[in-house]
Short mmCIF file of all heavy atoms in Angstrom, two decimals:
data_model
loop_
_atom_site.label_atom_id
_atom_site.label_comp_id
_atom_site.label_asym_id
_atom_site.label_seq_id
_atom_site.Cartn_x
_atom_site.Cartn_y
_atom_site.Cartn_z
N LEU D 1 11.62 -2.41 0.29
CA LEU D 1 11.97 -3.79 -0.05
C LEU D 1 11.80 -4.65 1.14
O LEU D 1 11.29 -5.81 1.08
CB LEU D 1 13.46 -3.78 -0.48
CG LEU D 1 13.74 -3.28 -1.93
CD1 LEU D 1 15.28 -3.11 -2.08
CD2 LEU D 1 13.03 -4.20 -2.96
N ALA D 2 12.29 -4.18 2.30
CA ALA D 2 12.13 -5.06 3.49
C ALA D 2 10.75 -5.30 3.99
O ALA D 2 10.41 -6.41 4.39
CB ALA D 2 12.98 -4.41 4.57
N THR D 3 9.94 -4.29 3.98
CA THR D 3 8.55 -4.37 4.40
C THR D 3 7.80 -5.24 3.52
O THR D 3 7.05 -6.22 3.93
CB THR D 3 7.86 -2.97 4.46
OG1 THR D 3 8.64 -2.07 5.39
CG2 THR D 3 6.48 -3.18 5.03
N VAL D 4 7.85 -5.03 2.18
CA VAL D 4 7.06 -5.99 1.25
C VAL D 4 7.58 -7.33 1.24
O VAL D 4 6.72 -8.28 1.27
CB VAL D 4 7.22 -5.30 -0.20
CG1 VAL D 4 6.56 -6.20 -1.22
CG2 VAL D 4 6.70 -3.96 -0.38
N THR D 5 8.83 -7.55 1.29
CA THR D 5 9.33 -8.95 1.45
C THR D 5 8.81 -9.55 2.77
O THR D 5 8.52 -10.87 2.84
CB THR D 5 10.81 -8.95 1.43
OG1 THR D 5 11.28 -8.29 0.23
CG2 THR D 5 11.37 -10.44 1.43
N ALA D 6 8.98 -8.92 3.91
CA ALA D 6 8.50 -9.41 5.14
C ALA D 6 6.99 -9.81 5.19
O ALA D 6 6.54 -10.83 5.66
CB ALA D 6 8.79 -8.35 6.32
N LEU D 7 6.19 -8.84 4.65
CA LEU D 7 4.75 -9.20 4.62
C LEU D 7 4.45 -10.39 3.74
O LEU D 7 3.63 -11.24 4.13
CB LEU D 7 3.99 -7.95 4.12
CG LEU D 7 4.00 -6.65 4.94
CD1 LEU D 7 3.27 -5.53 4.26
CD2 LEU D 7 3.30 -6.99 6.27
N ILE D 8 4.97 -10.44 2.58
CA ILE D 8 4.78 -11.67 1.78
C ILE D 8 5.33 -12.92 2.39
O ILE D 8 4.71 -13.95 2.34
CB ILE D 8 5.44 -11.42 0.25
CG1 ILE D 8 4.80 -10.22 -0.34
CG2 ILE D 8 5.21 -12.66 -0.55
CD1 ILE D 8 5.44 -9.82 -1.67
N ALA D 9 6.51 -12.80 2.99
CA ALA D 9 7.11 -14.03 3.54
C ALA D 9 6.19 -14.59 4.65
O ALA D 9 6.05 -15.73 4.83
CB ALA D 9 8.49 -13.70 4.11
N VAL D 10 5.67 -13.59 5.56
CA VAL D 10 4.85 -14.12 6.64
C VAL D 10 3.58 -14.75 6.12
O VAL D 10 3.07 -15.73 6.57
CB VAL D 10 4.59 -12.90 7.53
CG1 VAL D 10 3.46 -13.25 8.56
CG2 VAL D 10 5.80 -12.46 8.25
N LEU D 11 2.84 -14.11 5.04
CA LEU D 11 1.73 -14.63 4.37
C LEU D 11 1.95 -16.04 3.91
O LEU D 11 1.18 -16.93 4.17
CB LEU D 11 1.28 -13.69 3.35
CG LEU D 11 -0.03 -14.20 2.56
CD1 LEU D 11 -1.23 -14.36 3.43
CD2 LEU D 11 -0.36 -13.21 1.47
N ILE D 12 3.04 -16.19 3.12
CA ILE D 12 3.29 -17.50 2.55
C ILE D 12 3.64 -18.52 3.65
O ILE D 12 3.27 -19.66 3.59
CB ILE D 12 4.53 -17.36 1.59
CG1 ILE D 12 4.15 -16.53 0.35
CG2 ILE D 12 5.12 -18.64 1.11
CD1 ILE D 12 5.28 -16.31 -0.50
N ALA D 13 4.36 -18.10 4.74
CA ALA D 13 4.69 -19.00 5.89
C ALA D 13 3.42 -19.45 6.49
O ALA D 13 3.32 -20.71 6.83
CB ALA D 13 5.59 -18.25 6.79
N VAL D 14 2.53 -18.59 6.66
CA VAL D 14 1.19 -19.03 7.33
C VAL D 14 0.51 -20.06 6.43
O VAL D 14 -0.04 -21.04 6.85
CB VAL D 14 0.38 -17.89 7.61
CG1 VAL D 14 -1.12 -18.31 8.01
CG2 VAL D 14 0.88 -16.97 8.69
N LEU D 15 0.54 -19.86 5.22
CA LEU D 15 -0.22 -20.75 4.17
C LEU D 15 0.47 -22.02 4.25
O LEU D 15 -0.11 -23.16 4.26
CB LEU D 15 -0.24 -20.20 2.79
CG LEU D 15 -1.03 -18.90 2.64
CD1 LEU D 15 -0.90 -18.34 1.14
CD2 LEU D 15 -2.54 -19.10 2.96
N LEU D 16 1.83 -22.12 4.12
CA LEU D 16 2.53 -23.37 4.09
C LEU D 16 2.39 -24.13 5.32
O LEU D 16 2.20 -25.38 5.40
CB LEU D 16 3.99 -23.14 3.71
CG LEU D 16 4.33 -22.50 2.33
CD1 LEU D 16 5.79 -22.29 2.24
CD2 LEU D 16 3.84 -23.56 1.23
N ALA D 17 2.61 -23.47 6.47
CA ALA D 17 2.49 -24.09 7.78
C ALA D 17 1.18 -24.66 8.16
O ALA D 17 0.97 -25.74 8.63
CB ALA D 17 2.98 -23.17 8.88
N TYR D 18 0.08 -23.86 7.68
CA TYR D 18 -1.20 -24.31 7.98
C TYR D 18 -1.67 -25.54 7.03
O TYR D 18 -2.34 -26.39 7.44
CB TYR D 18 -2.19 -23.12 7.86
CG TYR D 18 -3.58 -23.46 8.23
CD1 TYR D 18 -3.84 -23.85 9.64
CD2 TYR D 18 -4.70 -23.30 7.40
CE1 TYR D 18 -4.99 -24.10 10.06
CE2 TYR D 18 -5.95 -23.61 7.96
CZ TYR D 18 -6.24 -23.91 9.18
OH TYR D 18 -7.45 -24.21 9.68
N SER D 19 -1.21 -25.45 5.80
CA SER D 19 -1.53 -26.53 4.86
C SER D 19 -0.88 -27.86 5.27
O SER D 19 -1.45 -28.94 5.30
CB SER D 19 -1.08 -26.26 3.49
OG SER D 19 0.36 -26.13 3.45
N ALA D 20 0.27 -27.84 5.87
CA ALA D 20 0.97 -28.90 6.46
C ALA D 20 0.40 -29.39 7.72
O ALA D 20 0.24 -30.64 7.97
CB ALA D 20 2.59 -28.74 6.85
N ARG D 21 -0.25 -28.50 8.41
CA ARG D 21 -1.06 -29.02 9.67
C ARG D 21 -2.28 -29.72 9.31
O ARG D 21 -2.70 -30.68 9.99
CB ARG D 21 -1.36 -27.75 10.53
CG ARG D 21 -2.06 -28.03 11.89
CD ARG D 21 -2.40 -26.73 12.52
NE ARG D 21 -3.19 -26.94 13.73
CZ ARG D 21 -2.65 -27.06 14.93
NH1 ARG D 21 -1.37 -26.98 15.07
NH2 ARG D 21 -3.49 -27.26 15.96
N LEU D 22 -2.91 -29.20 8.33
CA LEU D 22 -4.17 -29.87 7.86
C LEU D 22 -4.02 -31.20 7.28
O LEU D 22 -4.91 -32.12 7.35
CB LEU D 22 -4.91 -28.81 6.76
CG LEU D 22 -5.46 -27.60 7.44
CD1 LEU D 22 -6.06 -26.72 6.34
CD2 LEU D 22 -6.37 -27.86 8.52
N SER D 23 -2.87 -31.39 6.52
CA SER D 23 -2.76 -32.69 5.78
C SER D 23 -2.24 -33.76 6.75
O SER D 23 -1.49 -33.50 7.76
CB SER D 23 -1.62 -32.40 4.67
OG SER D 23 -1.46 -33.61 4.00
N ARG D 24 -2.66 -34.99 6.47
CA ARG D 24 -2.24 -36.05 7.23
C ARG D 24 -1.14 -36.85 6.47
O ARG D 24 -0.72 -37.88 6.94
CB ARG D 24 -3.42 -37.03 7.47
CG ARG D 24 -4.50 -36.39 8.30
CD ARG D 24 -5.66 -37.38 8.46
NE ARG D 24 -6.74 -36.77 9.22
CZ ARG D 24 -6.88 -36.84 10.57
NH1 ARG D 24 -5.98 -37.48 11.25
NH2 ARG D 24 -7.96 -36.34 11.24
N ARG D 25 -0.71 -36.37 5.36
CA ARG D 25 0.34 -36.94 4.65
C ARG D 25 1.71 -36.32 4.90
O ARG D 25 1.79 -35.29 5.52
CB ARG D 25 0.09 -36.88 3.17
CG ARG D 25 -1.24 -37.57 2.74
CD ARG D 25 -1.51 -37.45 1.30
NE ARG D 25 -2.77 -38.10 0.92
CZ ARG D 25 -4.01 -37.54 0.97
NH1 ARG D 25 -4.04 -36.24 1.28
NH2 ARG D 25 -5.11 -38.15 0.59
N ALA D 26 2.79 -37.08 4.48
CA ALA D 26 4.19 -36.52 4.85
C ALA D 26 4.67 -35.53 3.69
O ALA D 26 5.54 -34.72 4.06
CB ALA D 26 5.07 -37.68 4.87
N TRP D 27 4.10 -35.47 2.49
CA TRP D 27 4.70 -34.72 1.50
C TRP D 27 4.43 -33.18 1.67
O TRP D 27 5.43 -32.52 1.13
CB TRP D 27 4.21 -35.14 0.05
CG TRP D 27 2.84 -35.06 -0.18
CD1 TRP D 27 1.79 -35.89 0.06
CD2 TRP D 27 2.12 -33.97 -0.79
NE1 TRP D 27 0.63 -35.46 -0.40
CE2 TRP D 27 0.79 -34.20 -0.84
CE3 TRP D 27 2.58 -32.66 -1.20
CZ2 TRP D 27 -0.11 -33.25 -1.34
CZ3 TRP D 27 1.63 -31.76 -1.62
CH2 TRP D 27 0.23 -32.07 -1.80
N PRO D 28 3.40 -32.71 2.25
CA PRO D 28 3.37 -31.23 2.51
C PRO D 28 4.58 -30.90 3.42
O PRO D 28 5.13 -29.71 3.29
CB PRO D 28 2.10 -31.07 3.20
CG PRO D 28 1.22 -32.12 2.66
CD PRO D 28 2.09 -33.38 2.59
N VAL D 29 5.00 -31.63 4.40
CA VAL D 29 6.08 -31.44 5.24
C VAL D 29 7.43 -31.31 4.41
O VAL D 29 8.29 -30.46 4.67
CB VAL D 29 6.19 -32.40 6.43
CG1 VAL D 29 7.44 -32.07 7.27
CG2 VAL D 29 4.86 -32.34 7.25
N LEU D 30 7.53 -32.27 3.46
CA LEU D 30 8.60 -32.37 2.60
C LEU D 30 8.68 -31.15 1.68
O LEU D 30 9.83 -30.63 1.49
CB LEU D 30 8.56 -33.66 1.66
CG LEU D 30 9.69 -33.89 0.67
CD1 LEU D 30 11.03 -33.93 1.44
CD2 LEU D 30 9.46 -35.08 -0.13
N LEU D 31 7.59 -30.64 1.22
CA LEU D 31 7.57 -29.31 0.47
C LEU D 31 8.14 -28.19 1.33
O LEU D 31 8.84 -27.38 0.88
CB LEU D 31 6.15 -29.10 -0.05
CG LEU D 31 5.61 -29.91 -1.05
CD1 LEU D 31 4.16 -29.58 -1.47
CD2 LEU D 31 6.51 -29.75 -2.33
N ASN D 32 7.66 -28.15 2.58
CA ASN D 32 8.13 -27.02 3.50
C ASN D 32 9.61 -27.18 3.65
O ASN D 32 10.33 -26.14 3.86
CB ASN D 32 7.41 -27.07 4.80
CG ASN D 32 6.01 -26.73 4.75
OD1 ASN D 32 5.55 -26.31 3.59
ND2 ASN D 32 5.24 -26.65 5.84
N ARG D 33 10.15 -28.38 3.75
CA ARG D 33 11.65 -28.49 3.87
C ARG D 33 12.34 -28.07 2.62
O ARG D 33 13.46 -27.56 2.68
CB ARG D 33 11.99 -30.02 4.18
CG ARG D 33 11.45 -30.52 5.44
CD ARG D 33 12.10 -30.02 6.74
NE ARG D 33 11.68 -28.67 7.04
CZ ARG D 33 10.59 -28.28 7.63
NH1 ARG D 33 9.68 -29.24 7.93
NH2 ARG D 33 10.22 -27.11 8.00
N THR D 34 11.73 -28.33 1.44
CA THR D 34 12.25 -27.89 0.18
C THR D 34 12.35 -26.37 0.13
O THR D 34 13.25 -25.76 -0.30
CB THR D 34 11.46 -28.34 -1.05
OG1 THR D 34 11.36 -29.84 -0.93
CG2 THR D 34 12.00 -27.96 -2.27
N VAL D 35 11.27 -25.69 0.60
CA VAL D 35 11.26 -24.23 0.72
C VAL D 35 12.31 -23.70 1.59
O VAL D 35 12.97 -22.77 1.36
CB VAL D 35 9.79 -23.79 1.22
CG1 VAL D 35 9.85 -22.30 1.48
CG2 VAL D 35 8.80 -24.08 0.14
N GLY D 36 12.61 -24.57 2.62
CA GLY D 36 13.58 -23.99 3.61
C GLY D 36 15.01 -24.13 3.16
O GLY D 36 15.93 -23.61 3.78
N LEU D 37 15.25 -24.75 2.07
CA LEU D 37 16.63 -24.88 1.49
C LEU D 37 17.13 -23.57 1.01
O LEU D 37 18.43 -23.44 0.94
CB LEU D 37 16.66 -25.95 0.40
CG LEU D 37 16.44 -27.40 0.76
CD1 LEU D 37 16.41 -28.27 -0.49
CD2 LEU D 37 17.56 -27.86 1.68
N GLY D 38 16.28 -22.65 0.72
CA GLY D 38 16.86 -21.37 0.13
C GLY D 38 17.78 -20.69 1.08
O GLY D 38 18.69 -19.94 0.54
N TYR D 39 17.57 -20.74 2.36
CA TYR D 39 18.38 -20.03 3.31
C TYR D 39 19.84 -20.59 3.38
O TYR D 39 20.68 -19.94 3.79
CB TYR D 39 17.72 -20.13 4.76
CG TYR D 39 18.43 -19.14 5.71
CD1 TYR D 39 18.12 -17.80 5.58
CD2 TYR D 39 19.17 -19.54 6.76
CE1 TYR D 39 18.73 -16.92 6.52
CE2 TYR D 39 19.76 -18.66 7.68
CZ TYR D 39 19.47 -17.40 7.56
OH TYR D 39 20.04 -16.46 8.45
N ALA D 40 20.00 -21.85 3.04
CA ALA D 40 21.36 -22.52 2.95
C ALA D 40 22.20 -21.97 1.79
O ALA D 40 23.36 -22.26 1.78
CB ALA D 40 21.17 -24.05 2.92
N PHE D 41 21.59 -21.29 0.82
CA PHE D 41 22.37 -20.87 -0.39
C PHE D 41 22.67 -19.41 -0.32
O PHE D 41 21.81 -18.59 0.11
CB PHE D 41 21.60 -21.22 -1.56
CG PHE D 41 21.21 -22.59 -1.78
CD1 PHE D 41 19.97 -23.06 -1.84
CD2 PHE D 41 22.27 -23.56 -1.83
CE1 PHE D 41 19.73 -24.40 -2.03
CE2 PHE D 41 21.95 -24.93 -2.04
CZ PHE D 41 20.64 -25.34 -2.11
N PRO D 42 23.90 -19.01 -0.71
CA PRO D 42 24.27 -17.64 -0.66
C PRO D 42 23.29 -16.74 -1.48
O PRO D 42 22.87 -17.26 -2.62
CB PRO D 42 25.80 -17.59 -1.12
CG PRO D 42 26.22 -19.08 -0.92
CD PRO D 42 25.08 -19.98 -1.10
N GLY D 43 23.37 -15.39 -1.19
CA GLY D 43 22.53 -14.56 -1.97
C GLY D 43 23.00 -14.38 -3.44
O GLY D 43 22.26 -14.25 -4.33
N SER D 44 24.32 -14.45 -3.65
CA SER D 44 24.86 -14.44 -5.07
C SER D 44 24.41 -15.57 -5.84
O SER D 44 24.08 -15.36 -7.12
CB SER D 44 26.42 -14.37 -5.03
OG SER D 44 26.93 -15.42 -4.28
N VAL D 45 24.35 -16.81 -5.28
CA VAL D 45 23.89 -18.00 -5.95
C VAL D 45 22.40 -17.87 -6.35
O VAL D 45 22.06 -18.06 -7.47
CB VAL D 45 24.09 -19.25 -5.17
CG1 VAL D 45 23.54 -20.48 -5.86
CG2 VAL D 45 25.58 -19.46 -4.88
N ILE D 46 21.60 -17.47 -5.38
CA ILE D 46 20.18 -17.25 -5.63
C ILE D 46 19.90 -16.09 -6.74
O ILE D 46 19.10 -16.19 -7.61
CB ILE D 46 19.45 -16.94 -4.34
CG1 ILE D 46 19.48 -18.16 -3.43
CG2 ILE D 46 17.97 -16.46 -4.60
CD1 ILE D 46 18.86 -17.98 -2.12
N ALA D 47 20.77 -15.13 -6.65
CA ALA D 47 20.55 -14.00 -7.64
C ALA D 47 20.87 -14.50 -9.03
O ALA D 47 20.12 -14.22 -9.88
CB ALA D 47 21.54 -12.83 -7.27
N VAL D 48 21.91 -15.30 -9.15
CA VAL D 48 22.20 -15.84 -10.56
C VAL D 48 21.11 -16.75 -10.99
O VAL D 48 20.70 -16.73 -12.15
CB VAL D 48 23.60 -16.60 -10.52
CG1 VAL D 48 23.79 -17.34 -11.79
CG2 VAL D 48 24.69 -15.50 -10.29
#
């Protein structure tokens, strides 16, 4: 579980960070901030 999740998370992080770097607009950065909201929520909330 930890290995598969870590590999997928790193792959997605590279794609999101690089797409925001390539774009000259603000909304890709806003999308990345939206993705970052998940860490603020407890695991039980996300599970439900």
Side-chain angles (χ1 to χ4, degrees):
L1 287 173
T3 302
V4 173
T5 305
L7 291 176
I8 298 176
V10 170
L11 176 61
I12 294 176
V14 171
L15 294 177
L16 292 178
Y18 191 57
S19 64
R21 180 184 178 91
L22 294 177
S23 178
R24 298 178 181 271
R25 301 179 180 88
W27 64 269
V29 178
L30 180 62
L31 286 177
N32 288 358
R33 299 288 76 78
T34 303
V35 171
L37 290 176
Y39 194 70
F41 300 121
S44 56
V45 174
I46 292 176
V48 172

